[in-house]
Amino acid sequence: MATDHLERGALAGVAGGLVYGLFVATVGNSFTAGLETFEHGHGGSGPVVSGLTTTITSVGGGVFWGLLFGVAVFGIGYYFLEPALPGTGATRRLALAGAGFLTVSGAPWLVLPPQPPGVEQALSTETRLAWYGGLMLAGALVAVACGVAYRRASSRSRPVTVAATLAPLALLAIPVVLSPANPVHGDVPAALVAAYRWTVVFGQSVLWGTLAAAHTWLGESATTSVDTDYPATAD
Amino acid sequence: MQATDDSVSNRIERARASLTGTQVAVALALVAALGFTLLFVQDPMLHDSLHNFRHSAGITCH
């Protein structure tokens, strides 16, 4: 039964990965390449691999990115968290997808927003890695807090439930205030940086949305509704 | 906390009963390896190849 969940998570991951790979192939690669024209002397030596390799590997990376979330979040995570997720059917998947987005991208981006190539950041790579990891943990904790708040408030009226469920998100203001300043400098116009950031946000949203949709489409696991010790009989 | 038979702790119990330690270790190792390869490997060859992907996904820890 756990392997059944894992399999469905992996299938959803393949679907999400293919859609996200297509996004990287059509939008991500060319947008990044275009932004690189603003770059001058990124670390001195330049890339060690050809453009074609980068294109293909990045598309593959996109596919595996979806597969990773499918297995980890919808395979393993959904198996354990299913009883605690709000609602039924698609609502549950969307709640889990929202929690996943918050953990992997949403919370870290509050301190370290996506930067286009050619923008130099003041903080060192190690510092940023540590902050990114810490904020992923913070995002996961806040997502759990939202789930607990939903449990407590679910018997109230709908607006109260919604407000109570989303209230823990305000906790993310704490790391934002505490984080060190990270001034950036680069020649990319501000409007283009905004367009790039929102493209990234929508790209990740499409990935999580596809994962949730594919996982919903696969239906409920047989073990979700009834879990008997007897083998199922076909008749 | 919950009156019903199905809860998160119940799921953990079930997983414990039906999965071996090796299975869990292999699953976690695969997930960790995939995540690490995509995000944190600083080897120039792989790192540069995944450059567009990381910018598309908004992870710019490099």
Side-chain angles (χ1 to χ4, degrees), chain A residues 1 20 28-29 32 36 47-49 54 57-58 61-62 65 68 79-80 82-84 109 115-117 121 125 128-129 151 196 200 204 227, chain B residues 2 6-8 11-12 14-15 18-19 27 31 34-35 38-40 42 44-45 48-53 55-62:
Chain A
M1 36 138 230
Y20 192 67
N29 270 330
T32 309
E36 271 165 1
V48 297
V49 287
T54 305
T57 317
S58 287
W65 191 231
L68 173 68
Y79 173 75
F80 289 112
E82 194 180 5
W109 285 348
Q115 298 291 355
Q121 307 183 60
T125 306
R128 279 182 278 140
L129 273 177
R151 282 268 140 160
Y196 158 77
V200 170
Q204 290 300 295
D227 189 37
Chain B
Q2 240 188 319
D6 206 11
S7 65
V8 174
R11 289 295 173 101
I12 295 171
R14 275 207 268 164
S18 61
L19 299 173
V31 167
L34 195 50
L38 286 176
L39 301 183
F40 302 129
Q42 301 282 326
M45 190 73 98
D48 280 10
S49 302
L50 286 165
H51 177 255
N52 290 2
F53 158 72
H55 274 292
S56 307
I59 312 129
T60 45
C61 300
H62 62 292

Short mmCIF file of all heavy atoms in Angstrom, two decimals, chain A residues 1 20 28-29 32 36 47-49 54 57-58 61-62 65 68 79-80 82-84 109 115-117 121 125 128-129 151 196 200 204 227, chain B residues 2 6-8 11-12 14-15 18-19 27 31 34-35 38-40 42 44-45 48-53 55-62:
data_model
loop_
_atom_site.label_atom_id
_atom_site.label_comp_id
_atom_site.label_asym_id
_atom_site.label_seq_id
_atom_site.Cartn_x
_atom_site.Cartn_y
_atom_site.Cartn_z
N MET A 1 0.82 -1.21 0.00
CA MET A 1 0.00 0.00 0.00
C MET A 1 0.86 1.26 0.00
O MET A 1 0.56 2.20 -0.70
CB MET A 1 -0.95 -0.01 1.19
CG MET A 1 -0.36 -0.62 2.43
SD MET A 1 -0.77 0.28 3.89
CE MET A 1 0.84 0.44 4.61
N TYR A 20 6.93 20.67 -16.85
CA TYR A 20 7.93 21.64 -16.45
C TYR A 20 9.14 21.61 -17.39
O TYR A 20 9.73 22.67 -17.67
CB TYR A 20 8.36 21.41 -14.99
CG TYR A 20 9.15 22.57 -14.48
CD1 TYR A 20 8.56 23.80 -14.31
CD2 TYR A 20 10.52 22.45 -14.24
CE1 TYR A 20 9.29 24.89 -13.89
CE2 TYR A 20 11.26 23.53 -13.82
CZ TYR A 20 10.63 24.75 -13.64
OH TYR A 20 11.36 25.83 -13.24
N GLY A 28 12.20 28.91 -20.28
CA GLY A 28 13.35 29.04 -19.38
C GLY A 28 14.67 29.22 -20.11
O GLY A 28 15.43 30.16 -19.82
N ASN A 29 14.94 28.33 -21.06
CA ASN A 29 16.23 28.37 -21.76
C ASN A 29 16.43 29.68 -22.51
O ASN A 29 17.45 30.35 -22.36
CB ASN A 29 16.33 27.21 -22.74
CG ASN A 29 16.93 25.98 -22.10
OD1 ASN A 29 17.74 26.07 -21.18
ND2 ASN A 29 16.52 24.81 -22.56
N THR A 32 16.63 32.79 -20.14
CA THR A 32 17.92 32.87 -19.47
C THR A 32 19.01 33.31 -20.44
O THR A 32 19.84 34.16 -20.12
CB THR A 32 18.28 31.51 -18.84
OG1 THR A 32 17.18 31.05 -18.06
CG2 THR A 32 19.49 31.62 -17.95
N GLU A 36 21.32 36.72 -20.30
CA GLU A 36 22.78 36.63 -20.22
C GLU A 36 23.48 37.69 -21.08
O GLU A 36 24.66 37.97 -20.88
CB GLU A 36 23.25 35.23 -20.65
CG GLU A 36 23.30 34.29 -19.48
CD GLU A 36 23.41 32.84 -19.91
OE1 GLU A 36 23.46 32.57 -21.12
OE2 GLU A 36 23.42 31.98 -19.02
N PRO A 47 31.23 29.84 -19.14
CA PRO A 47 30.79 28.46 -18.98
C PRO A 47 31.75 27.47 -19.62
O PRO A 47 32.38 27.77 -20.63
CB PRO A 47 29.42 28.43 -19.68
CG PRO A 47 29.43 29.60 -20.61
CD PRO A 47 30.33 30.63 -20.00
N VAL A 48 31.84 26.28 -19.00
CA VAL A 48 32.77 25.27 -19.51
C VAL A 48 32.08 24.29 -20.47
O VAL A 48 32.72 23.42 -21.02
CB VAL A 48 33.42 24.45 -18.36
CG1 VAL A 48 34.25 25.36 -17.48
CG2 VAL A 48 32.37 23.73 -17.54
N VAL A 49 30.77 24.44 -20.63
CA VAL A 49 30.06 23.53 -21.53
C VAL A 49 29.35 24.33 -22.62
O VAL A 49 29.12 25.52 -22.49
CB VAL A 49 29.02 22.67 -20.76
CG1 VAL A 49 29.71 21.62 -19.93
CG2 VAL A 49 28.14 23.53 -19.91
N THR A 54 23.91 22.70 -22.27
CA THR A 54 23.16 23.40 -21.22
C THR A 54 21.66 23.31 -21.49
O THR A 54 20.87 23.06 -20.58
CB THR A 54 23.60 24.88 -21.17
OG1 THR A 54 25.01 24.92 -21.01
CG2 THR A 54 22.93 25.61 -20.04
N THR A 57 20.53 19.56 -20.91
CA THR A 57 20.62 19.18 -19.50
C THR A 57 19.60 19.94 -18.67
O THR A 57 19.02 19.39 -17.73
CB THR A 57 22.03 19.45 -18.95
OG1 THR A 57 22.98 19.03 -19.91
CG2 THR A 57 22.26 18.70 -17.66
N SER A 58 19.37 21.20 -19.01
CA SER A 58 18.42 21.99 -18.23
C SER A 58 17.00 21.47 -18.41
O SER A 58 16.22 21.44 -17.46
CB SER A 58 18.51 23.46 -18.62
OG SER A 58 19.70 24.02 -18.11
N GLY A 61 16.87 18.51 -16.36
CA GLY A 61 16.78 18.93 -14.97
C GLY A 61 15.36 19.28 -14.60
O GLY A 61 14.89 18.95 -13.51
N GLY A 62 14.65 19.94 -15.52
CA GLY A 62 13.25 20.29 -15.29
C GLY A 62 12.39 19.06 -15.11
O GLY A 62 11.54 19.01 -14.21
N TRP A 65 13.18 17.55 -11.80
CA TRP A 65 12.66 18.45 -10.75
C TRP A 65 11.21 18.06 -10.43
O TRP A 65 10.82 17.96 -9.28
CB TRP A 65 12.75 19.87 -11.28
CG TRP A 65 12.51 21.02 -10.37
CD1 TRP A 65 11.65 22.05 -10.59
CD2 TRP A 65 13.19 21.33 -9.15
NE1 TRP A 65 11.74 22.96 -9.57
CE2 TRP A 65 12.67 22.55 -8.68
CE3 TRP A 65 14.17 20.68 -8.40
CZ2 TRP A 65 13.09 23.13 -7.49
CZ3 TRP A 65 14.60 21.26 -7.23
CH2 TRP A 65 14.07 22.48 -6.79
N LEU A 68 11.20 14.59 -8.81
CA LEU A 68 11.62 14.69 -7.40
C LEU A 68 10.45 15.08 -6.49
O LEU A 68 10.20 14.45 -5.47
CB LEU A 68 12.75 15.73 -7.29
CG LEU A 68 13.22 16.10 -5.88
CD1 LEU A 68 13.91 14.94 -5.23
CD2 LEU A 68 14.17 17.29 -5.94
N TYR A 79 1.34 10.11 1.42
CA TYR A 79 1.04 8.88 2.15
C TYR A 79 0.89 9.17 3.65
O TYR A 79 -0.07 8.75 4.29
CB TYR A 79 2.14 7.84 1.91
CG TYR A 79 1.98 6.62 2.77
CD1 TYR A 79 1.00 5.68 2.50
CD2 TYR A 79 2.78 6.42 3.89
CE1 TYR A 79 0.84 4.57 3.30
CE2 TYR A 79 2.62 5.31 4.70
CZ TYR A 79 1.65 4.39 4.39
OH TYR A 79 1.49 3.31 5.20
N PHE A 80 1.85 9.91 4.19
CA PHE A 80 1.82 10.18 5.63
C PHE A 80 0.82 11.26 6.01
O PHE A 80 0.17 11.19 7.05
CB PHE A 80 3.21 10.57 6.13
CG PHE A 80 4.17 9.42 6.15
CD1 PHE A 80 5.25 9.38 5.29
CD2 PHE A 80 3.98 8.35 7.02
CE1 PHE A 80 6.13 8.31 5.30
CE2 PHE A 80 4.85 7.29 7.03
CZ PHE A 80 5.93 7.26 6.16
N GLU A 82 -1.88 12.41 4.32
CA GLU A 82 -3.24 12.35 3.78
C GLU A 82 -4.32 12.55 4.85
O GLU A 82 -5.25 13.34 4.63
CB GLU A 82 -3.43 11.02 3.05
CG GLU A 82 -4.66 10.99 2.18
CD GLU A 82 -4.81 9.65 1.47
OE1 GLU A 82 -4.01 8.75 1.74
OE2 GLU A 82 -5.73 9.53 0.67
N PRO A 83 -4.24 11.86 6.00
CA PRO A 83 -5.31 12.04 6.99
C PRO A 83 -5.39 13.46 7.53
O PRO A 83 -6.44 13.88 8.01
CB PRO A 83 -4.93 11.05 8.10
CG PRO A 83 -4.00 10.09 7.47
CD PRO A 83 -3.25 10.87 6.45
N ALA A 84 -4.29 14.20 7.48
CA ALA A 84 -4.27 15.53 8.08
C ALA A 84 -4.62 16.63 7.08
O ALA A 84 -4.83 17.78 7.48
CB ALA A 84 -2.90 15.81 8.68
N TRP A 109 12.16 32.50 -1.24
CA TRP A 109 12.16 33.66 -2.13
C TRP A 109 11.87 34.96 -1.42
O TRP A 109 12.16 36.04 -1.92
CB TRP A 109 11.15 33.47 -3.27
CG TRP A 109 11.62 32.50 -4.30
CD1 TRP A 109 12.87 31.99 -4.44
CD2 TRP A 109 10.82 31.91 -5.34
NE1 TRP A 109 12.91 31.12 -5.49
CE2 TRP A 109 11.67 31.05 -6.07
CE3 TRP A 109 9.49 32.02 -5.73
CZ2 TRP A 109 11.23 30.31 -7.15
CZ3 TRP A 109 9.06 31.29 -6.82
CH2 TRP A 109 9.91 30.45 -7.52
N GLN A 115 17.14 35.58 -8.97
CA GLN A 115 17.94 36.62 -9.61
C GLN A 115 18.29 36.18 -11.03
O GLN A 115 18.70 35.05 -11.23
CB GLN A 115 19.25 36.86 -8.84
CG GLN A 115 19.06 37.35 -7.42
CD GLN A 115 18.52 38.76 -7.33
OE1 GLN A 115 18.36 39.44 -8.34
NE2 GLN A 115 18.21 39.21 -6.13
N PRO A 116 18.13 37.07 -11.99
CA PRO A 116 18.52 36.72 -13.36
C PRO A 116 20.03 36.59 -13.46
O PRO A 116 20.76 37.13 -12.63
CB PRO A 116 17.99 37.89 -14.19
CG PRO A 116 17.87 39.01 -13.24
CD PRO A 116 17.61 38.44 -11.89
N PRO A 117 20.53 35.89 -14.48
CA PRO A 117 21.98 35.82 -14.66
C PRO A 117 22.54 37.22 -14.90
O PRO A 117 21.84 38.08 -15.43
CB PRO A 117 22.14 34.94 -15.90
CG PRO A 117 20.82 34.94 -16.57
CD PRO A 117 19.80 35.16 -15.50
N GLN A 121 25.34 39.14 -6.37
CA GLN A 121 24.77 39.32 -5.04
C GLN A 121 25.87 39.50 -4.02
O GLN A 121 26.94 38.90 -4.14
CB GLN A 121 23.90 38.11 -4.68
CG GLN A 121 22.85 37.82 -5.75
CD GLN A 121 21.93 36.68 -5.38
OE1 GLN A 121 21.25 36.74 -4.37
NE2 GLN A 121 21.91 35.65 -6.19
N THR A 125 27.99 32.55 -1.64
CA THR A 125 27.18 31.38 -2.00
C THR A 125 26.86 30.54 -0.77
O THR A 125 25.71 30.10 -0.60
CB THR A 125 27.93 30.53 -3.02
OG1 THR A 125 28.29 31.38 -4.12
CG2 THR A 125 27.06 29.40 -3.54
N ARG A 128 24.16 32.14 1.31
CA ARG A 128 22.85 32.05 0.66
C ARG A 128 22.31 30.62 0.73
O ARG A 128 21.12 30.42 0.95
CB ARG A 128 22.96 32.52 -0.78
CG ARG A 128 22.91 34.04 -0.88
CD ARG A 128 22.96 34.50 -2.31
NE ARG A 128 24.32 34.52 -2.82
CZ ARG A 128 24.67 34.14 -4.03
NH1 ARG A 128 23.77 33.64 -4.85
NH2 ARG A 128 25.92 34.21 -4.42
N LEU A 129 23.20 29.64 0.56
CA LEU A 129 22.75 28.24 0.68
C LEU A 129 22.17 27.97 2.06
O LEU A 129 21.12 27.34 2.19
CB LEU A 129 23.93 27.29 0.41
CG LEU A 129 24.21 26.90 -1.03
CD1 LEU A 129 25.44 26.02 -1.10
CD2 LEU A 129 23.01 26.16 -1.63
N ARG A 151 -7.18 22.61 11.46
CA ARG A 151 -7.82 21.60 12.32
C ARG A 151 -8.61 22.26 13.45
O ARG A 151 -9.76 21.91 13.71
CB ARG A 151 -6.73 20.73 12.97
CG ARG A 151 -6.16 19.70 12.06
CD ARG A 151 -6.94 18.44 12.23
NE ARG A 151 -7.14 17.83 10.92
CZ ARG A 151 -7.44 16.55 10.75
NH1 ARG A 151 -7.57 15.77 11.80
NH2 ARG A 151 -7.64 16.08 9.57
N TYR A 196 11.14 38.46 -15.27
CA TYR A 196 11.83 37.19 -15.04
C TYR A 196 11.33 36.53 -13.76
O TYR A 196 11.02 35.34 -13.74
CB TYR A 196 13.35 37.43 -14.98
CG TYR A 196 14.09 36.35 -14.25
CD1 TYR A 196 14.33 35.12 -14.85
CD2 TYR A 196 14.52 36.55 -12.94
CE1 TYR A 196 14.97 34.11 -14.15
CE2 TYR A 196 15.17 35.56 -12.24
CZ TYR A 196 15.39 34.34 -12.85
OH TYR A 196 16.01 33.35 -12.15
N VAL A 200 9.30 32.95 -13.30
CA VAL A 200 9.75 31.85 -12.43
C VAL A 200 8.62 31.43 -11.48
O VAL A 200 8.35 30.24 -11.31
CB VAL A 200 11.01 32.28 -11.64
CG1 VAL A 200 11.34 31.26 -10.57
CG2 VAL A 200 12.19 32.45 -12.59
N GLN A 204 6.88 27.69 -11.48
CA GLN A 204 6.78 26.77 -10.34
C GLN A 204 5.32 26.47 -10.00
O GLN A 204 4.97 25.35 -9.63
CB GLN A 204 7.50 27.35 -9.12
CG GLN A 204 9.01 27.39 -9.26
CD GLN A 204 9.61 26.02 -9.46
OE1 GLN A 204 9.56 25.16 -8.61
NE2 GLN A 204 10.17 25.80 -10.64
N ASP A 227 -9.23 -0.18 4.34
CA ASP A 227 -7.96 -0.86 4.49
C ASP A 227 -8.19 -2.11 5.33
O ASP A 227 -8.07 -2.12 6.55
CB ASP A 227 -6.95 0.08 5.17
CG ASP A 227 -5.56 -0.53 5.15
OD1 ASP A 227 -5.22 -1.19 4.16
OD2 ASP A 227 -4.84 -0.37 6.15
N GLN B 2 -7.63 12.19 17.25
CA GLN B 2 -8.66 11.89 16.25
C GLN B 2 -9.41 10.62 16.61
O GLN B 2 -8.82 9.65 17.05
CB GLN B 2 -8.00 11.73 14.89
CG GLN B 2 -8.49 12.73 13.89
CD GLN B 2 -7.95 12.42 12.52
OE1 GLN B 2 -6.79 12.06 12.38
NE2 GLN B 2 -8.79 12.51 11.53
N ASP B 6 -7.95 6.48 10.88
CA ASP B 6 -6.90 6.96 10.01
C ASP B 6 -6.32 8.27 10.52
O ASP B 6 -7.00 9.28 10.61
CB ASP B 6 -7.47 7.16 8.60
CG ASP B 6 -6.39 7.04 7.55
OD1 ASP B 6 -5.29 6.60 7.90
OD2 ASP B 6 -6.66 7.37 6.39
N SER B 7 -5.06 8.27 10.87
CA SER B 7 -4.39 9.49 11.30
C SER B 7 -2.95 9.41 10.84
O SER B 7 -2.50 8.39 10.33
CB SER B 7 -4.46 9.63 12.82
OG SER B 7 -3.71 8.58 13.39
N VAL B 8 -2.24 10.52 11.03
CA VAL B 8 -0.85 10.55 10.57
C VAL B 8 -0.02 9.51 11.32
O VAL B 8 0.77 8.77 10.72
CB VAL B 8 -0.26 11.97 10.75
CG1 VAL B 8 1.22 11.98 10.43
CG2 VAL B 8 -1.00 12.96 9.87
N ARG B 11 -0.60 6.16 9.99
CA ARG B 11 0.13 5.93 8.74
C ARG B 11 1.59 5.57 9.01
O ARG B 11 2.16 4.72 8.35
CB ARG B 11 0.08 7.19 7.85
CG ARG B 11 -1.28 7.46 7.25
CD ARG B 11 -1.67 6.37 6.29
NE ARG B 11 -3.03 6.54 5.84
CZ ARG B 11 -3.36 7.05 4.66
NH1 ARG B 11 -2.44 7.46 3.83
NH2 ARG B 11 -4.62 7.16 4.31
N ILE B 12 2.17 6.24 9.99
CA ILE B 12 3.57 5.95 10.33
C ILE B 12 3.69 4.51 10.85
O ILE B 12 4.60 3.77 10.48
CB ILE B 12 4.11 6.98 11.35
CG1 ILE B 12 4.12 8.37 10.70
CG2 ILE B 12 5.50 6.60 11.82
CD1 ILE B 12 4.41 9.50 11.64
N ARG B 14 1.71 2.03 10.10
CA ARG B 14 1.53 1.12 8.96
C ARG B 14 2.80 1.02 8.13
O ARG B 14 3.17 -0.05 7.68
CB ARG B 14 0.38 1.62 8.08
CG ARG B 14 -0.98 1.14 8.58
CD ARG B 14 -1.93 1.07 7.41
NE ARG B 14 -2.67 2.30 7.25
CZ ARG B 14 -3.34 2.62 6.15
NH1 ARG B 14 -3.33 1.81 5.10
NH2 ARG B 14 -4.02 3.73 6.06
N ALA B 15 3.45 2.16 7.91
CA ALA B 15 4.68 2.16 7.11
C ALA B 15 5.75 1.34 7.82
O ALA B 15 6.49 0.59 7.20
CB ALA B 15 5.15 3.59 6.89
N SER B 18 5.07 -2.36 7.37
CA SER B 18 5.11 -2.96 6.04
C SER B 18 6.41 -2.71 5.28
O SER B 18 6.69 -3.38 4.30
CB SER B 18 3.93 -2.47 5.21
OG SER B 18 4.00 -1.09 5.05
N LEU B 19 7.21 -1.76 5.71
CA LEU B 19 8.44 -1.46 4.97
C LEU B 19 9.66 -1.86 5.78
O LEU B 19 9.68 -1.70 7.00
CB LEU B 19 8.52 0.04 4.65
CG LEU B 19 7.41 0.61 3.78
CD1 LEU B 19 7.55 2.12 3.71
CD2 LEU B 19 7.47 0.02 2.38
N ALA B 27 14.89 4.62 -0.61
CA ALA B 27 13.99 5.68 -1.08
C ALA B 27 14.52 7.06 -0.70
O ALA B 27 14.61 7.96 -1.54
CB ALA B 27 12.59 5.47 -0.50
N VAL B 31 15.92 10.15 -3.27
CA VAL B 31 15.37 11.51 -3.24
C VAL B 31 16.46 12.52 -2.93
O VAL B 31 16.59 13.56 -3.58
CB VAL B 31 14.22 11.59 -2.20
CG1 VAL B 31 13.84 13.02 -1.92
CG2 VAL B 31 13.01 10.81 -2.70
N LEU B 34 18.88 12.96 -5.91
CA LEU B 34 18.28 13.74 -7.00
C LEU B 34 18.29 15.23 -6.65
O LEU B 34 18.70 16.07 -7.46
CB LEU B 34 16.85 13.23 -7.22
CG LEU B 34 16.13 13.62 -8.50
CD1 LEU B 34 17.00 13.35 -9.72
CD2 LEU B 34 14.82 12.84 -8.61
N GLY B 35 17.86 15.55 -5.43
CA GLY B 35 17.82 16.94 -5.00
C GLY B 35 19.21 17.55 -4.98
O GLY B 35 19.42 18.66 -5.48
N LEU B 38 20.60 18.22 -8.53
CA LEU B 38 19.99 19.34 -9.23
C LEU B 38 20.39 20.68 -8.65
O LEU B 38 20.51 21.67 -9.37
CB LEU B 38 18.47 19.20 -9.20
CG LEU B 38 17.88 18.13 -10.12
CD1 LEU B 38 16.39 18.02 -9.91
CD2 LEU B 38 18.18 18.45 -11.57
N LEU B 39 20.58 20.73 -7.33
CA LEU B 39 20.71 22.04 -6.70
C LEU B 39 22.12 22.39 -6.25
O LEU B 39 22.56 23.52 -6.40
CB LEU B 39 19.79 22.11 -5.48
CG LEU B 39 18.32 21.90 -5.78
CD1 LEU B 39 17.52 22.07 -4.52
CD2 LEU B 39 17.85 22.87 -6.84
N PHE B 40 22.83 21.42 -5.67
CA PHE B 40 24.00 21.82 -4.90
C PHE B 40 25.34 21.39 -5.46
O PHE B 40 26.37 21.85 -4.99
CB PHE B 40 23.87 21.31 -3.46
CG PHE B 40 22.65 21.80 -2.76
CD1 PHE B 40 21.77 20.93 -2.12
CD2 PHE B 40 22.34 23.14 -2.76
CE1 PHE B 40 20.64 21.40 -1.50
CE2 PHE B 40 21.20 23.62 -2.14
CZ PHE B 40 20.34 22.74 -1.51
N GLN B 42 28.54 21.53 -7.19
CA GLN B 42 29.26 22.70 -7.70
C GLN B 42 30.28 22.32 -8.76
O GLN B 42 31.01 23.18 -9.26
CB GLN B 42 29.96 23.44 -6.54
CG GLN B 42 29.03 23.91 -5.43
CD GLN B 42 28.26 25.17 -5.79
OE1 GLN B 42 28.77 26.03 -6.50
NE2 GLN B 42 27.02 25.28 -5.32
N PRO B 44 31.97 22.08 -12.04
CA PRO B 44 31.70 23.03 -13.12
C PRO B 44 30.88 22.44 -14.28
O PRO B 44 29.98 23.08 -14.79
CB PRO B 44 33.10 23.43 -13.59
CG PRO B 44 33.98 23.16 -12.46
CD PRO B 44 33.39 22.01 -11.71
N MET B 45 31.23 21.19 -14.68
CA MET B 45 30.57 20.57 -15.82
C MET B 45 29.06 20.48 -15.61
O MET B 45 28.26 20.96 -16.41
CB MET B 45 31.16 19.17 -16.03
CG MET B 45 30.75 18.52 -17.33
SD MET B 45 31.57 19.30 -18.71
CE MET B 45 32.91 18.16 -18.96
N ASP B 48 27.31 24.08 -14.69
CA ASP B 48 27.05 24.96 -15.83
C ASP B 48 25.96 24.40 -16.73
O ASP B 48 25.16 25.14 -17.31
CB ASP B 48 28.34 25.17 -16.64
CG ASP B 48 29.24 26.21 -15.99
OD1 ASP B 48 28.93 26.59 -14.86
OD2 ASP B 48 30.22 26.63 -16.62
N SER B 49 25.90 23.05 -16.84
CA SER B 49 24.88 22.45 -17.69
C SER B 49 23.48 22.74 -17.17
O SER B 49 22.54 22.88 -17.93
CB SER B 49 25.07 20.94 -17.77
OG SER B 49 26.33 20.65 -18.27
N LEU B 50 23.37 22.80 -15.85
CA LEU B 50 22.06 23.00 -15.24
C LEU B 50 21.75 24.48 -15.01
O LEU B 50 20.75 24.82 -14.39
CB LEU B 50 21.96 22.23 -13.92
CG LEU B 50 21.80 20.71 -14.07
CD1 LEU B 50 22.08 20.02 -12.76
CD2 LEU B 50 20.40 20.36 -14.56
N HIS B 51 22.63 25.33 -15.52
CA HIS B 51 22.51 26.78 -15.28
C HIS B 51 21.13 27.32 -15.64
O HIS B 51 20.48 27.98 -14.83
CB HIS B 51 23.61 27.47 -16.09
CG HIS B 51 23.58 28.96 -16.00
ND1 HIS B 51 23.11 29.75 -17.03
CD2 HIS B 51 23.93 29.80 -15.00
CE1 HIS B 51 23.20 31.02 -16.66
NE2 HIS B 51 23.69 31.07 -15.45
N ASN B 52 20.66 27.04 -16.86
CA ASN B 52 19.36 27.55 -17.30
C ASN B 52 18.23 26.99 -16.44
O ASN B 52 17.27 27.69 -16.13
CB ASN B 52 19.09 27.19 -18.75
CG ASN B 52 19.98 27.97 -19.69
OD1 ASN B 52 20.82 28.75 -19.26
ND2 ASN B 52 19.80 27.74 -20.98
N PHE B 53 18.37 25.72 -16.08
CA PHE B 53 17.34 25.11 -15.23
C PHE B 53 17.23 25.84 -13.90
O PHE B 53 16.13 26.18 -13.45
CB PHE B 53 17.64 23.63 -15.00
CG PHE B 53 16.96 23.09 -13.77
CD1 PHE B 53 15.59 22.88 -13.76
CD2 PHE B 53 17.68 22.84 -12.61
CE1 PHE B 53 14.95 22.43 -12.62
CE2 PHE B 53 17.05 22.40 -11.47
CZ PHE B 53 15.68 22.18 -11.48
N HIS B 55 18.12 28.85 -13.09
CA HIS B 55 17.52 30.19 -13.22
C HIS B 55 16.03 30.09 -13.49
O HIS B 55 15.24 30.89 -12.99
CB HIS B 55 18.22 30.98 -14.33
CG HIS B 55 19.45 31.68 -13.84
ND1 HIS B 55 19.39 32.74 -12.95
CD2 HIS B 55 20.76 31.48 -14.08
CE1 HIS B 55 20.61 33.15 -12.69
NE2 HIS B 55 21.46 32.39 -13.35
N SER B 56 15.60 29.09 -14.27
CA SER B 56 14.18 28.93 -14.57
C SER B 56 13.41 28.57 -13.32
O SER B 56 12.24 28.93 -13.16
CB SER B 56 13.97 27.83 -15.61
OG SER B 56 14.76 28.07 -16.74
N ALA B 57 14.05 27.80 -12.42
CA ALA B 57 13.37 27.37 -11.20
C ALA B 57 13.53 28.38 -10.07
O ALA B 57 12.93 28.23 -9.02
CB ALA B 57 13.89 26.00 -10.76
N GLY B 58 14.34 29.40 -10.29
CA GLY B 58 14.48 30.46 -9.29
C GLY B 58 15.42 30.13 -8.16
O GLY B 58 15.38 30.76 -7.11
N ILE B 59 16.28 29.13 -8.35
CA ILE B 59 17.26 28.79 -7.32
C ILE B 59 18.59 29.34 -7.78
O ILE B 59 19.20 28.82 -8.71
CB ILE B 59 17.39 27.27 -7.12
CG1 ILE B 59 16.02 26.65 -7.01
CG2 ILE B 59 18.22 26.94 -5.90
CD1 ILE B 59 15.86 25.50 -7.93
N THR B 60 19.03 30.40 -7.15
CA THR B 60 20.24 31.03 -7.65
C THR B 60 21.28 31.09 -6.55
O THR B 60 21.83 32.14 -6.26
CB THR B 60 19.95 32.42 -8.22
OG1 THR B 60 19.10 33.10 -7.31
CG2 THR B 60 19.25 32.32 -9.54
N CYS B 61 21.53 29.94 -5.95
CA CYS B 61 22.57 29.86 -4.93
C CYS B 61 23.90 29.53 -5.58
O CYS B 61 24.50 28.49 -5.30
CB CYS B 61 22.21 28.79 -3.90
SG CYS B 61 20.68 29.12 -3.08
N HIS B 62 24.32 30.34 -6.48
CA HIS B 62 25.61 30.07 -7.11
C HIS B 62 26.26 31.37 -7.55
O HIS B 62 25.68 32.43 -7.38
CB HIS B 62 25.45 29.14 -8.31
CG HIS B 62 24.59 29.73 -9.39
ND1 HIS B 62 23.25 29.95 -9.22
CD2 HIS B 62 24.88 30.16 -10.62
CE1 HIS B 62 22.75 30.49 -10.31
NE2 HIS B 62 23.71 30.64 -11.18
#
